[in-house]
Amino acid sequence: MEQIVTGSQMKALDGATIENIGIPSLVLMERAALALCDAMEAEGYLEGRLLFLCGSGNNGADGVAAARILTLRGYEADVCILGNPLRFTQEMKKQVEIAEKYGISFVKTYRCSEYTTIVDSLLGVGTSRNLEGVYKKAVEEIRHCGCHVVSVDIPTGICADTGRILGAAVKADLTVTFAYKKAGLCLYPGALYAGKLVTAEIGIHRQDFPLDGTEIFACEPADLQEIRRDPGGNKGTFGKVFLIAGSRDIFGAAYLSGLAAMRTGAGMLKICTREENRQQFSCFPEAMLLTYDDTSDLKALVREGLAWADTAGMGPGVGTGAQAARLLDALLEECTCPLVLDADAINLLSGKKEKLKNCKAPVILTPHLGEFSRLTGTEIAAWKENPVEVTRKAASACQGILVCKDARTVVSDGTHSWINLSGNDGMATAGSGDVLTGTILGLLAQKLAPKDAAVLGAYLHGCAGDRAAAAKGRAGMLAGDILEEIPKILCSLEGKEGKS
């Protein structure tokens, strides 16, 4: 797992490295400047004339140091300091002093049109107020400059904690961030404004230093190795999924969700659905069926399914009628195995989330933002303002694991949070959420802990979406395309199991 940090957490880690480990601030700054220069070279942003726009803080000092390094490498670089000299940090004063002794070019005015690349070194991760004055003016000029833009650590005007725009923001082609990704670079719109994101190691390490606030993580490709197969296993070993899905005239959601569970590795699947769907399921012979009609004893049906299952789920296409409500009540009352609730099952809980507290099973909920809003009473705009913290608080209140689906899906167990960095806008298509539900169920069936199944399920689902987009294009891909890529990813892991 990759650590993601907020602005205050980054400042604390920086301070701990200086105070506890003993690496001087100027040494860290020199490493940051070198990393910035190397990344600009690797990405092809050193052609022509460079302008470093610097603020009065340590972000500006990083820019001054980088301009010095590039000038000494033979590049043409000007520095324009927009920050008030009376507010220079000690590091900024020192970097300006060093640069002047090296004869670095400082300019008081500039024309963006005269430069090939502008380096945004105005404000760093500590910015929390809306931009104003010379900084806002500079950001607006950069926006219309027509040249390449590189941001140092974070684009000026992006909140490091939430990714929101602070009145105005630089839209970079490349952002070189130091030590750890910042949450605001992972969440939208910050992720869009960052352009290509490069994380540079400069000597700041977490070690045992405690962090205030919510700890945030993101999956990396190596984390998929946690999805393992037992060569000596059988279909019972790989788990049994009981899924309540589909309703009269609604078959596709149940099919996609169930097939995703099997494609993710579950050994057996039993789908509980309306009797009218029986004939349609002839195309899915691997699935067993429990069907019901208007006269069925639904509680007995649920008990039968749960007595057989290792994990259970409900929601895709099930509807919000009286029968669906009784099925959900029975499931929450009887279930003791890990449980996934999606779509209509979440809608049935709107205003009734206290029912979750009486459930004996660990519960994973996978709402999109509309369902999340109805479940928690939280406005979508409030979630957008601070996705990580709002999701964490809601997960704590629900006493479950929340997988809040959006352009950046956020997962939380009420204590820790994860930002899913895989996936793309092509996944905003009917049935995609049903595939995610099945993916998580498939991982639960294989005995992954609920937290791990939720986090890895979202990541695997997004990786499959990225592969589907590469093959079909984001506009034209379907949920079935995502589903078909899941076993291909798992297949690619099989040869690595013996090497880990």
Side-chain angles (χ1 to χ4, degrees), residues 5-15 125 153 178-180 182 202 204 211:
V5 298
T6 64
S8 60
Q9 288 171 341
M10 188 65 244
K11 293 179 78 171
L13 288 168
D14 187 70
V125 298
D153 208 19
F178 305 127
Y180 300 95
K182 312 325 182 265
I202 63 170
I204 297 175
L211 292 178

Side-chain angles (χ1 to χ4, degrees), residues 64 68 81 88 90-104 106:
V64 174
R68 163 174 48 83
I81 299 175
F88 281 4
Q90 290 301 313
E91 289 84 354
M92 181 60 171
K93 291 177 182 177
K94 191 64 176 177
Q95 290 295 352
V96 170
E97 178 187 334
I98 294 170
E100 288 175 340
K101 290 179 179 178
Y102 272 102
I104 305 306
F106 285 88

Side-chain angles (χ1 to χ4, degrees), residues 49-55 60-69 71 76-83 85 88 91-110 115:
R49 193 175 173 195
L50 313 175
L51 174 65
F52 285 76
L53 290 179
C54 302
D62 289 336
V64 174
R68 163 174 48 83
I69 292 168
T71 299
E76 187 178 1
D78 292 338
V79 176
C80 184
I81 299 175
L82 301 182
F88 281 4
E91 289 84 354
M92 181 60 171
K93 291 177 182 177
K94 191 64 176 177
Q95 290 295 352
V96 170
E97 178 187 334
I98 294 170
E100 288 175 340
K101 290 179 179 178
Y102 272 102
I104 305 306
S105 172
F106 285 88
V107 297
K108 292 186 177 180
T109 61
Y110 61 90
Y115 296 93

Side-chain angles (χ1 to χ4, degrees), residues 4-29:
I4 307 294
V5 298
T6 64
S8 60
Q9 288 171 341
M10 188 65 244
K11 293 179 78 171
L13 288 168
D14 187 70
T17 302
I18 295 166
E19 298 296 328
N20 299 349
I21 297 178
I23 299 179
S25 176
L26 287 174
V27 172
L28 293 175
M29 190 166 286

Side-chain angles (χ1 to χ4, degrees), residues 218-296:
C219 279
E220 300 175 286
D223 293 317
L224 291 176
Q225 290 297 318
E226 293 183 36
I227 306 171
R228 296 176 178 271
R229 300 284 286 181
D230 177 3
N234 54 55
K235 62 185 179 182
T237 306
F238 301 122
K240 295 170 282 188
V241 174
F242 175 54
L243 174 63
I244 302 173
S247 55
R248 184 183 286 115
D249 300 324
I250 298 179
F251 159 76
Y255 172 78
L256 287 169
S257 188
L259 186 57
M262 297 292 284
R263 290 292 194 189
T264 306
M268 289 184 277
L269 169 69
K270 187 174 289 186
I271 294 180
C272 179
T273 191
R274 285 282 305 190
E275 174 62 29
E276 290 89 343
N277 287 328
R278 180 178 293 279
Q279 183 59 39
Q280 290 178 284
F281 269 105
S282 62
C283 69
F284 191 4
E286 296 87 352
M288 295 177 281
L289 295 182
L290 275 179
T291 63
Y292 59 92
D293 57 26
D294 293 339
T295 65
S296 297

Side-chain angles (χ1 to χ4, degrees), residues 353 356-359 361-365 393-402 413-414:
K353 63 177 183 289
L356 294 171
K357 298 179 181 179
N358 298 321
C359 181
V363 180
I364 300 170
L365 299 106
K393 288 181 178 178
S396 179
C398 290
Q399 297 181 9
I401 297 167
L402 273 176
D413 62 1

Side-chain angles (χ1 to χ4, degrees), residues 4 12 20 29 47 50 59 76 118 134 143 150 152 160 173 228 276 291 304 350 399 451 485:
I4 307 294
N20 299 349
M29 190 166 286
E47 298 294 330
L50 313 175
N59 190 265
E76 187 178 1
I118 292 178
V134 294
R143 186 186 306 164
V150 176
V152 179
D173 300 296
R228 296 176 178 271
E276 290 89 343
T291 63
E304 178 183 347
S350 296
Q399 297 181 9
K451 168 181 67 72
E485 294 296 337

Side-chain angles (χ1 to χ4, degrees), residues 11 44 50 107 122 148 210 216 253 260 278-279 311 327 333 388 407 409 418 427 488 490:
K11 293 179 78 171
L50 313 175
V107 297
L122 292 169
H148 299 303
I216 309 168
R278 180 178 293 279
Q279 183 59 39
T311 185
L327 284 166
E333 181 181 334
V388 172
T409 292
W418 295 261
M427 300 176 72
K488 296 176 185 177
L490 298 178

